[in-house]
Amino acid sequence: MKIRLLQKLLLIAVCIGFMGCVNVSPWERGNLAKSSMEIDPNPLQSEFQSHNYSSREAAPSHSSSSSGGGCGCY
């Protein structure tokens, strides 16, 4: 009984895994390469926001170990 259930779960997992495998046509690759599809489409803006937030909070940011001084200086 348990072996049948395990086989069914394994088959379902394999089927779900194969659903992610798709051939992308060359003319569709441009849509997938757009900057809006990235995890962080504006990395420079995100870094500035992080720096300003950490210096206002007078706490260390994720990218530096020094605490902020309130002025936004590096």
Side-chain angles (χ1 to χ4, degrees), residues 28-50:
E28 293 175 333
R29 292 181 187 161
N31 293 331
L32 297 174
K34 290 183 179 177
S35 62
S36 60
M37 296 290 287
E38 293 181 16
I39 293 174
D40 188 7
N42 299 316
L44 187 61
Q45 182 180 7
S46 298
E47 185 62 33
F48 280 134
Q49 287 176 344
S50 172

Side-chain angles (χ1 to χ4, degrees):
M1 179 74 180
K2 288 186 178 184
I3 295 175
R4 288 288 249 181
L5 180 64
L6 185 61
Q7 287 176 344
K8 287 180 182 179
L9 289 174
L10 184 63
L11 180 64
I12 290 171
V14 168
C15 289
I16 290 173
F18 281 133
M19 289 173 62
C21 300
V22 176
N23 290 330
V24 179
S25 302
W27 56 86
E28 293 175 333
R29 292 181 187 161
N31 293 331
L32 297 174
K34 290 183 179 177
S35 62
S36 60
M37 296 290 287
E38 293 181 16
I39 293 174
D40 188 7
N42 299 316
L44 187 61
Q45 182 180 7
S46 298
E47 185 62 33
F48 280 134
Q49 287 176 344
S50 172
H51 173 72
N52 287 336
Y53 178 75
S54 65
S55 56
R56 287 187 188 129
E57 291 294 320
S61 68
H62 64 85
S63 61
S64 69
S65 61
S66 62
S67 61
C71 65
C73 303
Y74 286 100

